[in-house]
Amino acid sequence: MENDQIRNMIRKFISDRPRNTAEISAWIESQSSSQTPRSDIASILEMDGKIVRIGTVRRSGIAGREYPLSEWATDDWVAYHERGEPNKEELK
């Protein structure tokens, strides 16, 4: 499967909520016969301007040193959920 196809599939998959690298990798495997390693999924996502790494899951035993277990979201999701700066009048 081509990287562009994978990116398009992932964009649709994460459009409603962020997902981590393991969830994305398992979902991709269930959608196709492709066995793309998580490290490749992460590099594919990093090269996509419409997908944003929003964090890293730091649970002991889940993420090895080989693969970062990151949370990914679309740029549209991030823009919609982004917090604005607090209004100084509201803080008083």
Side-chain angles (χ1 to χ4, degrees), residues 18-82:
R19 310 282 179 144
N20 68 47
T21 311
E23 290 175 300
I24 293 168
S25 181
W27 183 79
I28 287 293
E29 288 175 16
S30 74
Q31 299 299 308
S32 68
S33 59
S34 172
Q35 296 292 324
T36 309
R38 267 194 259 167
S39 60
D40 290 347
I41 294 289
S43 64
I44 289 169
L45 296 174
E46 287 172 345
M47 297 173 117
D48 190 323
K50 296 184 180 198
I51 297 176
V52 180
R53 184 190 313 248
I54 58 173
T56 302
V57 177
R58 299 204 183 272
R59 290 187 188 164
S60 176
I62 291 180
R65 293 182 180 179
E66 293 180 46
Y67 311 114
L69 189 57
S70 300
E71 288 282 330
W72 302 91
T74 61
D75 59 348
D76 292 336
W77 188 92
V78 171
Y80 181 80
H81 291 89
E82 198 168 46

Side-chain angles (χ1 to χ4, degrees), residues 1-17:
M1 186 177 299
E2 302 237 356
N3 289 350
D4 289 337
Q5 287 178 307
I6 292 172
R7 281 189 195 102
N8 288 332
M9 289 173 62
I10 293 171
R11 275 189 221 121
K12 290 177 186 176
F13 180 59
I14 66 174
S15 64
D16 62 333
R17 70 180 179 95

Side-chain angles (χ1 to χ4, degrees), residues 85-92:
E85 289 187 32
N87 186 341
K88 291 180 182 178
E89 294 297 319
E90 292 175 2
L91 295 175
K92 291 182 181 180

